[in-house]
Amino acid sequence: MVANVKDKAVIVGIGNTTFSKDSGVSELSLAVQAIKAAIDDAGLKPSDIDGMATFTMDTNDEIEVARALGVGELTFYGRSHYGGGAATSCLHQATMAIATGMAETVVVYRALNGRSGHRFSGGVAGDITTADAIHWGWYMPYGLLTPASWVAMFTQRWMHNTGVTKDALFEVAHSTRVYGANNPAAFFYGREFDRAEYDAARMIADPLQLFDCCQESDGGSAVIVTTPERARDLRQPGVSVRGVAQCAAEDQEQMTSFYREEFAGIPEMETSAKNVYAMSGLSADDIDAAVIYDAFSPIVLWQLEAWGFCGFGESGDFVKDGALRTDGRLPTNTHGGQLSEAYIHGVNGIVEATRLVRGSSVNQPAKTVNHALVTSGVGIPTGGAILGKMD
Amino acid sequence: MTTEELKAFEDEIYAYVGREVCPPTPAKDDVNVAMIRQWAEIIGDTNPAYTDADWAANSARGHTIAPPAMMYVWGQEGFAVTTGRAPDAQSDLVSLFNEHGYTGVLGTNVKQEYFKEVSPGDNVVMEMTIDNISERKTTGRGPGYFFETLATFSNQHGEKIGTQRFKVLKFIPQEQPAAVASEETLQVPTRIPSPRGHDNKWWWEACDAGKVLIQRCKSCQTLRHPPRPMCGKCQSMEWDSIESTLEGEILSHTQLHHPKIPGYQYPLVCAVIKLSEGTNFVANIVGCEPSDIHIGMKVKGAVEQVDEKTMLPQFYPA
């Protein structure tokens, strides 16, 4: 059974901080700046917030954020695990809280000094003996301890199984950066990028090279979610959550699910997609544009297949036909993605998906965007959501 | 030191180039089986050409030989050196460096060349000169000069058997980070170990002892890796283990290029391996060019000591 929360929650405000390589401020400062921007965008006051949803592996405790912002009572706070896998899971939490009446107005936020502070690319070290640290212990002694290396292991096998080549990885890396070059908020703003530079860049973990990897960033992003009734009174056109789901699939490990019968796949995203489609009554044909989690270029390809835009192994040809570009079948990561705008664990992606439905992306496609897909990170428990115009 | 003083110092040291450190001197003992055996044992060299007289009798040579790398051993003074040795050109040069503040010393490399073998009963004659002194260099340890001695070895018939070049850096020690202050506390980084808790400690302890085990459910016999407290098939918490043969096939692989983590040796390749027992396993692939590694490749593993603290399964092409 698929729980139905279709159109029970509406995104009414979005906010980002400046993205940088060295913010010079605390993560708490970034969090409250992003949230304040989103509150202002919605035309609300901090005291209107009564719920919070954020990530684990995060230093911004809800009550500290609430005190700093001047939010009064919180009647809901919930966190979602697994790094970027939590992006739409936070939206999932917010939607459930609002649909059940546990809270009326929930802020989803993520803020981190991901470049100047703790860098996820540095890998894991396992200082504490938790079940999760023990899990990393099966890989650390061998040197398999960075996100790029884990994704590379899946990518190598997936390319072997499908015959998809680096031409497709380049198309993802390139189409995204073309968008980024036109986004003043993006690290890649105004930057040229071509195949020669892509090919010449240093190898990170075979087959991933530098430009297959996202930007490590300092910054924060937030979205405000509330009830449809409240949304109608606010200043922005409401962007409704048509469907949202999360999933941890069988035999799931965090980034290293190498023990499945066939591990070149993302069954957790296939289940999320099936459930979001069932909840929303929509299909891939109804999606006009997308923000697909892109910590690394190949993971965009796998998600295109999981969400049914093409069949297994067909995503290479799908993107090489220009599908992700502004005039293509599925304009994707129009903010420049995490490959070239900033890596805020996908919450900047929810901001951009909201803009696409509002019609206010800096790279807004010419066609009408009735529905935009937004997804969370892969290789981990993950999820996704479809956003649409509020009726 | 002024420019003039530096020039005067350099004139003095460069005058040592070509000077004899020791004239041709026969070793006190002839090449002998006892020293060869001890050296081979300490080095861990099991080549029967050095130590197995029976084997050697049937070899092309018909007799044992001394390991060529022992060339420099035969002329060593042994215990007598502790009571001081007579000054020679090399010790004079070292004193000269020390007097001018170049008190630091670092042996940087040794290069040997071999031309002819020697056997028990032969006598090795060594002579040595100061071959060259570099220009003044700025090094990580401080400013200094490299000097190189050249030792030439002959047998009792005057036939040249080999040479040895020994390069030494004499330098003015700089204020160094704490690491250099005490060689005793100098830590060589090792691989990041797995944390060990209730559910995995037994596996790593077996690995320390050279075995790779696979957990097995006692109730339904299902193998599982990595270890967990409960069987996901039948929920039994009773388990034992089997030892893997470490035969397998590569399912996927990646070569780690960046970032390079201290304590790891590069090139470094990790792979997911399907073991013949049926469970998947992640480990390093070694013993071949990274570019030769491919999905479907058959591999065979062994638990090896990969650094001072770490025993780890390593897989080779089968």
Side-chain angles (χ1 to χ4, degrees):
Chain A
M1 191 199 86
V2 176
N4 205 332
V5 292
K6 182 185 180 189
D7 295 328
K8 297 278 177 65
V10 180
I11 298 173
V12 293
I14 55 176
N16 286 331
T17 65
T18 300
F19 304 128
S20 72
K21 295 292 184 186
D22 185 2
S23 70
V25 299
S26 68
E27 295 185 334
L28 182 60
S29 171
L30 292 171
V32 297
Q33 288 177 51
I35 296 168
K36 181 63 168 50
I39 290 171
D40 290 347
D41 181 60
L44 291 167
K45 302 185 297 298
S47 56
D48 292 319
I49 304 292
D50 58 1
M52 291 191 171
T54 188
F55 293 58
T56 56
M57 296 190 267
D58 186 286
T59 63
N60 296 307
D61 277 36
E62 294 87 336
I63 53 175
E64 296 297 335
V65 171
R67 289 178 73 213
L69 264 171
V71 169
E73 282 183 343
L74 290 177
T75 57
F76 168 78
Y77 28 91
R79 290 197 174 213
S80 299
H81 283 297
Y82 309 121
T88 56
S89 285
C90 295
L91 187 61
H92 182 260
Q93 289 271 305
T95 300
M96 289 197 300
I98 291 163
T100 55
M102 295 291 177
E104 186 181 36
T105 304
V106 180
V107 58
V108 168
Y109 66 89
R110 176 62 159 160
L112 66 167
N113 281 323
R115 179 62 179 78
S116 67
H118 174 74
R119 298 175 68 178
F120 284 85
S121 69
V124 289
D127 309 323
I128 340 160
T129 308
T130 61
D132 185 55
I134 283 176
H135 144 254
W136 295 120
W138 300 107
Y139 315 106
M140 290 186 300
Y142 304 100
L144 191 73
L145 41 64
T146 62
S149 69
W150 306 318
V151 170
M153 194 73 89
F154 289 101
T155 305
Q156 193 90 270
R157 182 158 182 87
W158 180 78
M159 289 171 76
H160 174 82
N161 287 357
T162 60
V164 171
T165 67
K166 289 198 77 170
D167 291 346
L169 272 59
F170 169 71
E171 172 59 23
V172 172
H174 183 256
S175 60
T176 312
R177 286 188 172 82
V178 169
Y179 289 126
N182 191 45
N183 174 7
F187 283 120
F188 249 72
Y189 181 56
R191 175 101 146 63
E192 298 276 321
F193 178 64
D194 61 15
R195 182 67 191 251
E197 187 179 9
Y198 175 83
D199 286 337
R202 72 173 159 192
M203 192 61 86
I204 303 297
D206 290 308
L208 302 180
Q209 286 171 267
L210 182 65
F211 292 105
D212 293 311
C213 305
C214 65
Q215 300 285 330
E216 290 179 289
S217 316
D218 286 9
S221 295
V223 300
I224 310 287
V225 192
T226 192
T227 60
E229 296 72 28
R230 187 116 201 242
R232 288 195 183 89
D233 299 332
L234 295 174
R235 71 157 67 124
Q236 298 289 355
V239 174
S240 185
V241 179
R242 292 272 195 268
V244 59
Q246 66 177 183
C247 180
E250 188 179 353
D251 222 352
Q252 177 94 55
E253 282 196 359
Q254 186 171 190
M255 299 302 290
T256 49
S257 304
F258 299 138
Y259 307 95
R260 293 168 169 164
E261 195 52 41
E262 173 54 73
F263 63 80
I266 44 172
E268 48 281 348
M269 190 60 97
E270 289 168 12
T271 299
S272 299
K274 181 165 67 75
N275 290 347
V276 170
Y277 285 142
M279 189 182 296
S280 62
L282 299 168
S283 71
D285 291 343
D286 298 307
I287 309 295
D288 303 302
V291 177
I292 298 180
Y293 198 96
D294 60 340
F296 301 96
S297 61
I299 73 174
V300 174
L301 300 170
W302 312 338
Q303 293 178 84
L304 289 167
E305 296 175 6
W307 285 87
F309 294 103
C310 53
F312 178 73
E314 294 170 5
S315 57
D317 289 338
F318 182 76
V319 300
K320 285 192 286 179
D321 285 346
L324 308 185
R325 301 178 194 176
T326 191
D327 56 352
R329 155 71 189 91
L330 188 74
T332 293
N333 296 342
T334 43
H335 53 324
Q338 303 192 87
L339 291 172
S340 57
E341 185 190 54
Y343 176 66
I344 311 295
H345 271 156
V347 178
N348 54 324
I350 305 178
V351 168
E352 176 66 6
T354 304
R355 288 197 202 106
L356 282 165
V357 176
R358 285 183 181 179
S360 64
S361 168
V362 70
N363 290 303
Q364 189 69 31
K367 66 179 176 182
T368 302
V369 177
N370 288 314
H371 295 110
L373 170 69
V374 56
T375 70
S376 298
V378 307
I380 37 187
T382 189
I386 296 175
L387 308 182
K389 291 182 196 302
M390 185 172 66
D391 296 328
Chain B
M1 195 181 272
T2 66
T3 315
E4 291 74 32
E5 285 168 341
L6 183 64
K7 168 106 178 36
F9 168 66
E10 290 192 340
D11 285 347
E12 248 186 296
I13 59 170
Y14 290 133
Y16 279 84
V17 175
R19 292 266 300 271
E20 185 176 75
V21 175
C22 89
T25 308
K28 287 175 181 166
D29 296 305
D30 289 344
V31 174
N32 62 80
V33 293
M35 286 299 292
I36 291 173
R37 183 183 60 77
Q38 291 182 41
W39 189 92
E41 273 183 19
I42 292 164
I43 299 294
D45 192 330
T46 56
N47 188 340
Y50 303 149
T51 50
D52 188 335
D54 292 340
W55 182 91
N58 294 315
S59 70
R61 295 183 185 91
H63 55 81
T64 59
I65 59 165
M70 282 187 78
M71 200 161 56
Y72 188 57
V73 169
W74 304 110
Q76 295 295 294
E77 288 187 64
F79 188 69
V81 80
T82 60
T83 57
R85 51 163 39 135
D88 58 34
Q90 183 174 199
S91 63
D92 291 349
L93 175 62
V94 167
S95 299
L96 187 59
F97 275 121
N98 291 346
E99 286 159 17
H100 287 80
Y102 295 83
T103 53
V105 60
L106 191 66
T108 58
N109 56 290
V110 176
K111 183 180 175 188
Q112 293 188 334
E113 280 188 284
Y114 312 123
F115 307 124
K116 198 171 171 58
E117 295 166 350
V118 291
S119 298
D122 286 331
N123 188 273
V124 174
V125 178
M126 183 182 84
E127 58 184 299
M128 188 189 285
T129 56
I130 293 170
D131 190 68
N132 62 78
I133 302 175
S134 74
E135 59 189 25
R136 193 168 189 271
K137 301 274 192 189
T138 304
T139 76
R141 292 297 185 102
Y145 298 83
F146 291 93
F147 76 86
E148 190 171 74
T149 55
L150 171 62
T152 305
F153 304 91
S154 313
N155 62 19
Q156 65 274 23
H157 308 301
E159 296 162 326
K160 202 165 153 181
I161 63 168
T163 60
Q164 172 174 292
R165 291 177 174 278
F166 197 127
K167 189 178 279 188
V168 173
L169 171 67
K170 285 296 286 175
F171 60 98
I172 300 174
Q174 300 296 293
E175 287 296 323
Q176 293 283 337
V180 183
S182 165
E183 292 295 331
E184 275 178 359
T185 60
L186 198 67
Q187 299 255 325
V188 178
T190 52
R191 295 186 180 213
I192 303 171
S194 172
R196 297 185 184 193
H198 280 295
D199 296 331
N200 71 341
K201 187 161 169 261
W202 62 274
W203 192 97
W204 285 106
E205 284 173 350
C207 182
D208 291 342
K211 289 180 183 173
V212 170
L213 301 181
I214 305 174
Q215 195 181 30
R216 180 173 61 184
C217 174
K218 266 191 173 176
S219 172
C220 73
Q221 306 294 305
T222 303
L223 296 175
R224 58 185 197 261
H225 181 83
R228 277 149 279 172
M230 182 182 280
C231 174
K233 296 278 186 252
C234 75
Q235 286 69 48
S236 169
M237 297 188 76
E238 298 294 316
W239 56 267
D240 57 12
S241 64
I242 61 166
E243 185 174 352
S244 173
T245 59
L246 296 181
E247 286 161 4
E249 178 182 324
I250 294 178
L251 295 180
S252 192
H253 57 94
T254 185
Q255 183 182 354
L256 295 317
H257 297 268
H258 180 85
K260 290 193 168 53
I261 315 283
Y264 293 78
Q265 297 78 43
Y266 295 82
L268 183 64
V269 176
C270 290
V272 180
I273 298 154
K274 179 167 275 302
L275 294 175
S276 58
E277 290 83 6
T279 50
N280 290 1
F281 189 74
V282 169
N284 298 125
I285 305 295
V286 297
C288 61
E289 288 298 318
S291 56
D292 290 341
I293 295 169
H294 56 271
I295 291 172
M297 184 170 167
K298 304 278 189 236
V299 290
K300 170 78 180 165
V303 177
E304 295 179 351
Q305 181 157 12
V306 294
D307 60 39
E308 203 182 327
K309 294 178 182 163
T310 316
M311 293 288 286
L312 215 54
Q314 304 283 288
F315 282 74
Y316 294 79

